Amino acid sequence: MSGIVAIIGRPNVGKSTLFNRLVESRQAIVDDMSGVTRDRNYGQSLWNGIAFSLIDTGGYVPESSDVFESAIREQVHIAMEEADLLLFMVDGRAGITPLDEEFAEIVRRNPKKVFLIVNKLDTPQMSDSQYEFYQLGLPEVFAVSAATGTGTGDLLDAVVAALPPDKVLEDHEGLPRIAVVGRPNVGKSSVINAFLGRPAQIVTPVAGTTRDAIDTRYTAFGMDLVLVDTAGLRRKSKVEENIEFYSTLRTVRAIETCDVAMLLLDATQGMESQDMAIFSLIQKHSKGIVILVNKWDLVEKDHKSTLEFEKLIRERTAPFTDLPIIFTSALTRQRLLKALETAVEVCKRRSLRIPTHELNEVLQEAIAKHHPPAHRGHIIRIKYATQVPASVPTFLLFANHPDHVDESYKRYLENQLRERFGFTGVPINVFFRKK
């Protein structure tokens, strides 16, 4: 993963349309009325084998007293601070507006690299309109149509060329990176402190106390790894929802560079929508995962409590249910060592290479137990499998009708591999090809 790119600009220039095109989904709501994007959208874009995180921000209106526009304005500043590259978008049909000029002055003061994106230039005849925008003082200008995709290929070429390479501290290179992630105030810093046995992070009841994502070397009980606290708030915000926004940016960056993410849940609140959003980020980035249910000491329990809580979590995370779930307490240090040991084991399993003969023996046993269902009278035969080089365990299976293997059977084979080779908490890929 190469970094974070933020799309910024005044309202109604097409930021969400470009976001949807670059992440190849209709994730952001698009409308002709300005101000539709108030919440932020996060996505992942892949171009020429290089992946990066993309943020769609709301329309920037300087010095507005409107409560929504004020909140959006502060979030845009946070995005500009955190991003590695800014895509400043303007409307090529409307020409330069006073809002564009005001915002351009702010953008020019930012030390980050900026591309000026002149949108809504749908035809080659309209592309000459881009030259007017050089008046804004930004030298790198791209004429695009977010609606039709015109010019986005050249833009993406420039984006991936401009992004920094993955950053890992030299003295930490080769060590497992365990990121402690979760929504604000679930106890991330308290857990880090409990791991280390000393107050490495400031802890208060106020959500967003942690001022940065911090790497800490951990060497104890035969383990050598890097712990990453991801709360990430540099300054208090007048707008409370920006705590969540800033924390999410930090979480995105930490997940990009980690090997395993420990997702902390608050035992008193269960697995909420924001927890699921972080879980989805971990999945999208193909990272190992361990779920820690923190503050378990505060819950009234009986002999069924643990099983019932586990069942609820697996229902939320389905179909990826093969997850280690550990019930912990930062206050009492309950099962924290087990949590770290589990994370290290998940990290090792991410790089596990299975001998081809052993892989095929396991799969042939699984197929003998449960044959793939026929498709329109065609019998599907899976003859051979191999593991291919990838950042996570990835298996290529050769069949006579690969396109007709249904999803349920793919999950069956994946579960057999998980069970036999201990891939709990590890994302794995299973692909089918023509034999």
Side-chain angles (χ1 to χ4, degrees):
M1 184 65 61
S2 287
I4 297 176
V5 177
I7 305 173
I8 59 175
R10 65 176 175 83
N12 209 29
V13 294
K15 296 184 296 297
S16 295
T17 304
L18 181 64
F19 174 88
N20 286 342
R21 180 162 293 279
L22 297 189
V23 301
E24 298 182 319
S25 77
R26 291 188 59 80
Q27 190 173 329
I29 299 170
V30 177
D31 194 275
D32 289 338
M33 183 177 67
S34 66
V36 168
T37 302
R38 286 178 177 169
D39 293 325
R40 290 77 48 201
N41 281 296
Y42 310 90
Q44 186 180 0
S45 185
L46 179 67
W47 185 253
N48 290 340
I50 298 175
F52 58 90
S53 294
L54 194 66
I55 306 168
D56 176 27
T57 63
Y60 189 96
V61 181
E63 300 179 3
S64 170
S65 59
D66 179 271
V67 64
F68 288 115
E69 290 177 345
S70 176
I72 289 168
R73 187 165 61 247
E74 186 160 350
Q75 289 162 13
V76 172
H77 279 292
I78 292 171
M80 289 169 64
E81 184 179 345
E82 282 302 295
D84 299 296
L85 174 66
L86 305 176
L87 304 184
F88 175 28
M89 181 173 275
V90 293
D91 185 334
R93 295 180 185 173
I96 297 174
T97 70
L99 282 182
D100 292 328
E101 291 176 329
E102 286 186 62
F103 195 22
E105 189 174 341
I106 294 168
V107 170
R108 285 196 302 269
R109 293 198 296 266
N110 191 293
K112 302 293 174 63
K113 192 172 185 64
V114 183
F115 290 165
L116 180 61
I117 313 301
V118 185
N119 190 30
K120 304 184 184 180
L121 302 183
D122 302 324
T123 65
Q125 292 76 18
M126 299 174 69
S127 63
D128 288 346
S129 302
Q130 67 179 293
Y131 298 112
E132 170 191 358
F133 291 89
Y134 279 95
Q135 297 176 41
L136 295 177
L138 297 167
E140 298 188 69
V141 180
F142 294 84
V144 306
S145 170
T148 66
T150 303
T152 54
D154 291 341
L155 171 62
L156 283 167
D157 285 341
V159 166
V160 297
L163 287 172
D166 293 344
K167 300 172 201 163
V168 178
L169 295 179
E170 289 181 12
D171 57 341
H172 293 165
E173 193 169 354
L175 296 178
R177 290 180 61 82
I178 314 297
V180 182
V181 301
R183 54 190 163 85
N185 214 28
V186 293
K188 296 184 291 295
S189 295
S190 297
V191 166
I192 291 277
N193 289 346
F195 282 147
L196 298 172
R198 57 185 171 83
Q201 314 292 0
I202 301 168
V203 179
T204 76
V206 179
T209 297
T210 300
R211 291 172 171 258
D212 211 338
I214 301 170
D215 290 1
T216 307
R217 185 81 169 264
Y218 178 92
T219 54
F221 300 101
M223 292 181 282
D224 190 1
L225 52 88
V226 177
L227 290 169
V228 186
D229 180 4
T230 60
L233 225 155
R234 283 187 183 158
R235 60 189 179 207
K236 285 189 177 180
S237 169
K238 295 178 182 177
V239 184
E240 189 172 333
E241 70 174 65
N242 282 340
I243 292 174
E244 176 189 337
F245 176 49
Y246 203 106
S247 180
T248 303
L249 283 174
R250 287 294 185 181
T251 299
V252 168
R253 192 178 289 280
I255 288 172
E256 285 176 352
T257 59
C258 79
D259 298 302
V260 178
M262 283 185 174
L263 175 56
L264 257 67
L265 308 181
D266 188 327
T268 64
Q269 298 178 23
M271 194 165 192
E272 299 186 341
S273 58
Q274 196 176 347
D275 300 313
M276 282 303 302
I278 297 172
F279 179 81
S280 296
L281 278 173
I282 299 167
Q283 278 192 295
K284 283 180 182 177
H285 288 84
S286 297
K287 304 299 182 178
I289 183 167
V290 177
I291 292 183
L292 301 190
V293 183
N294 191 32
K295 307 181 185 180
W296 192 238
D297 54 311
L298 302 180
V299 175
E300 291 187 16
K301 299 175 281 290
D302 58 31
H303 66 287
K304 295 182 180 178
S305 298
T306 302
L307 291 175
E308 289 174 351
F309 207 106
E310 275 193 22
K311 182 182 177 184
L312 290 172
I313 292 173
R314 296 190 200 282
E315 285 175 355
R316 296 293 311 271
T317 61
F320 188 11
T321 58
D322 187 23
L323 301 163
I325 301 173
I326 301 172
F327 294 82
T328 66
S329 166
L331 185 63
T332 66
R333 300 172 61 85
Q334 181 183 22
R335 300 188 190 90
L336 288 179
L337 181 57
K338 180 183 178 183
L340 275 180
E341 290 172 340
T342 302
V344 171
E345 184 61 29
V346 169
C347 186
K348 289 178 182 176
R349 291 287 176 175
R350 280 184 82 234
S351 56
L352 182 66
R353 294 285 302 176
I354 300 170
T356 301
H357 73 276
E358 190 176 346
L359 173 64
N360 280 277
E361 285 173 8
V362 169
L363 285 172
Q364 290 307 319
E365 285 178 20
I367 292 166
K369 287 181 195 173
H370 178 34
H371 290 280
H375 179 81
R376 296 181 180 177
H378 295 291
I379 295 174
I380 296 173
R381 293 186 177 88
I382 300 169
K383 292 294 185 181
Y384 180 77
T386 185
Q387 185 175 358
V388 296
S391 59
V392 297
T394 300
F395 304 97
L396 198 57
L397 280 63
F398 294 90
N400 57 344
H401 297 292
D403 295 337
H404 297 157
V405 181
D406 62 30
E407 286 300 320
S408 62
Y409 195 75
K410 289 179 185 178
R411 281 198 295 272
Y412 163 72
L413 293 180
E414 179 183 323
N415 290 336
Q416 294 296 305
L417 291 171
R418 288 184 174 283
E419 185 179 330
R420 180 61 71 92
F421 298 112
F423 284 128
T424 299
V426 178
I428 68 175
N429 298 319
V430 176
F431 299 109
F432 287 83
R433 292 291 182 271
K434 187 79 172 175
K435 70 175 183 178

